[in-house]
Amino acid sequence: MKKKFEINIDIYSEDIINQTIWDFEEISEIKYTDNNLEIHWSSESEINEIFNEFMNYVIWLINE
């Protein structure tokens, strides 16, 4: 299963998104193209949880 999430690049830089994808590579298959983040996993609820953790990490990197 896969799900797409639109990322606002005015708020979140592509560099940070790409860094987070690299840091999350062992957790899930995540792709980023045309301001869309695509997460592959076995269930929608777990994809949502991965996305939430992903964005928490992005925010942490921004604030670091």
Side-chain angles (χ1 to χ4, degrees):
M1 163 173 254
K2 67 182 174 180
K3 188 171 179 182
K4 288 185 178 184
F5 301 89
E6 186 174 351
I7 303 295
N8 185 335
I9 61 167
D10 294 332
I11 299 172
Y12 307 105
S13 77
E14 289 189 22
D15 290 340
I16 290 178
I17 296 295
N18 288 324
Q19 174 65 43
T20 306
I21 290 170
W22 189 81
D23 292 343
F24 272 58
E25 71 181 354
E26 293 183 18
I27 296 171
S28 177
E29 181 183 345
I30 301 173
K31 296 179 181 177
Y32 181 67
T33 53
D34 299 324
N35 301 336
N36 286 296
L37 193 70
E38 184 177 281
I39 301 174
H40 297 257
W41 199 257
S42 56
S43 76
E44 185 173 355
S45 64
E46 290 175 338
I47 289 173
N48 290 334
E49 186 174 330
I50 291 168
F51 176 73
N52 289 335
E53 291 301 321
F54 183 95
M55 292 309 295
N56 284 338
Y57 188 71
V58 166
I59 292 167
W60 180 79
L61 287 175
I62 290 170
N63 290 325
E64 187 175 75

